[in-house]
Structure formats: structure tokens, C-alpha cells
Amino acid sequence: MAACTTEKLESDAFDEINDPGAAPYGNFINYYTFNPPENRLSLIPKTLLQDLVYSDSHGTTLMLDVGCNSGELSVALYRHLQQKPRSEEDTKAAGTLHLLGFDLDESLIRRAQQTNPLPTNISFIPLDITEDTESRSQLEGYLNRHGCSRFHVCVCLAVTMWVHLNHGDSGLLELLSRLASISQYLLLEAQPWKCYRSAARRLRKLGRCDFDHFKTLRIRGDVAQHATEHLERRCGMELLQSFGSTAWDRKLLLFKRK
């Protein structure tokens, strides 16, 4: 996830054919072969939506998947959370779940659209969240069509580092603020600092230019803690629960709008 020109994306896609690890915006063409959906789903309760949203009796539940890549996790998460209601009251309250996934890589989005098994309830669009005006217009349009002011749940998994590396400290904080402003609940997986070093080392090994902001970042160390502090102090959210850490030692943190 990051802003970039079409020419850069096309160049990156060409490089990835020869080396799938060459993805300075996180747009790996083979992402789910080395980080399958189950790595996250095993930590996320199947009853999450009943616990957080359905109990509030919303007719329609909206979920946003930020940086959805080719959509495999979006579909798997949708199915994971579509559990049988626990009671007749849950049936009445459940309503319909709609999921919107977006990514800046149009080729990945085309793949997601072509392989989408549930087009009535799951949509994929090309979108760069760092392009404020355009992304705001598209997301607000989606919310308006469903008669909602915010997404009930926003999922942002392994995206923060790419925005941080390509847009600096201010880009990371703006991303967090933006997601907090459009969601009731935010499920966040922020890459730890060791992933930053690995990403920078991988680019250097491939003989490519380093990330513009890597050496000047002031937000370092426990990035998840920095993100938590910003969301709680600046964005009106509170940490509700940690679902533990993935096999890659990344915390899954659930925040709620106060």
C-alpha cells in the first residue's frame, strides 16, 4: 500500500515476474502462498461480528479490507465470519454482510474481481488510501449507497509498514487517523520494526533504490505500540482486545470508537 505512478507499478510487476519479493509497495503477486489466510483467521473469533456488530441490530453490516491484494483473505474472512446465528434474535439482527476490499495495484484487483465467488456481497476496487480526495470520494460513495456513515469493521493487515516506508511518519499517522474516522471498529496488524529492516535489505539486495523515508523515520521500535498511542490519544479510539500474534510475530489488535 502506497502512492505511486502507473509506470512504477508496471515496472514493479515486471520485476516481480523474475523475483516475487520485489514489491516496494507491498503488492506481492504471490502473497498468499507464503502468508495464507489461515495465519490470521486462526486468531480471529468466528463470532466476531455477532459480538461486535450484529448485537447492535444493524440491518446491513459493512466491512472494509484495506490493502486486500488479490482478495483471497477477503473472501476467506467473509466466509469465516458468516457463522450460523446462535438464536432467533441473532437471525433477525444479523442482516446482510457486505465487504469492500481495495488495493492500489490494479492488476491484483483485476485478479480479485475475476476470481470473486461472491460478487453480490464482496466488491473489489482499485484505490490508493494515501490519495486523500479520490479515496475519500469512493469510500464515502460506497457508505452512502448502503445508508451508513461508517464501516462497522475496518481490517488493516500488514499495510502500515508500506505506507510508513513510502510516505514517512506523517503518512503512517494520517493513515491511522483516516481509518479511525471511517470505522466503528478497527482490526489492525502493524508490522514490527524487524520487518522494515528486512524490506529495506531485500531492496538493496535486488539492486533497487532504498525506501525514500527509511533512514529518516522517527517512529521506530514497537510500531504497534506507537499506533496504539496515536489511535487512543488522537483518534478517539480505545484498544478493546488483542487476539495474540501471528506466526510472524505480528499482533492482531482490535480498537473501538469511544
Side-chain angles (χ1 to χ4, degrees), residues 46-47 50 80-87 90-91 94:
K46 293 182 178 180
T47 59
Q50 289 100 316
H80 180 74
L81 298 177
Q82 284 289 82
Q83 298 301 304
K84 293 181 179 179
R86 294 171 293 189
S87 67
D90 285 340
T91 301

Side-chain angles (χ1 to χ4, degrees), residues 202-219:
R202 185 164 56 243
L203 277 194
R204 290 194 295 269
K205 182 178 179 181
L206 294 170
R208 305 185 61 170
C209 296
D210 205 348
F211 293 102
D212 292 339
H213 298 274
F214 178 63
K215 295 180 180 179
T216 60
L217 296 177
R218 301 186 67 179
I219 298 176

Side-chain angles (χ1 to χ4, degrees), residues 13-50:
F14 177 80
D15 290 341
E16 289 174 23
I17 294 174
N18 299 304
D19 191 328
Y25 309 103
N27 52 322
F28 297 98
I29 60 172
N30 62 341
Y31 183 74
Y32 295 111
T33 63
F34 59 82
N35 193 9
E38 182 57 30
N39 285 354
R40 278 72 170 257
L41 298 185
S42 63
L43 298 175
I44 301 173
K46 293 182 178 180
T47 59
L48 180 65
L49 292 185
Q50 289 100 316

Side-chain angles (χ1 to χ4, degrees), residues 84-123:
K84 293 181 179 179
R86 294 171 293 189
S87 67
E88 185 176 347
E89 287 72 21
D90 285 340
T91 301
K92 295 177 181 178
T96 303
L97 172 63
H98 291 277
L99 186 150
L100 174 65
F102 71 82
D103 199 282
L104 60 75
D105 191 315
E106 294 189 8
S107 63
L108 290 174
I109 288 298
R110 283 196 296 272
R111 194 197 311 174
Q113 293 170 338
Q114 292 166 0
T115 59
N116 183 6
L118 301 166
T120 300
N121 296 90
I122 301 177
S123 303

Side-chain angles (χ1 to χ4, degrees), residues 69-82:
N69 197 268
S70 53
E72 283 94 328
L73 178 58
S74 304
V75 174
L77 179 60
Y78 183 95
R79 287 172 165 165
H80 180 74
L81 298 177
Q82 284 289 82

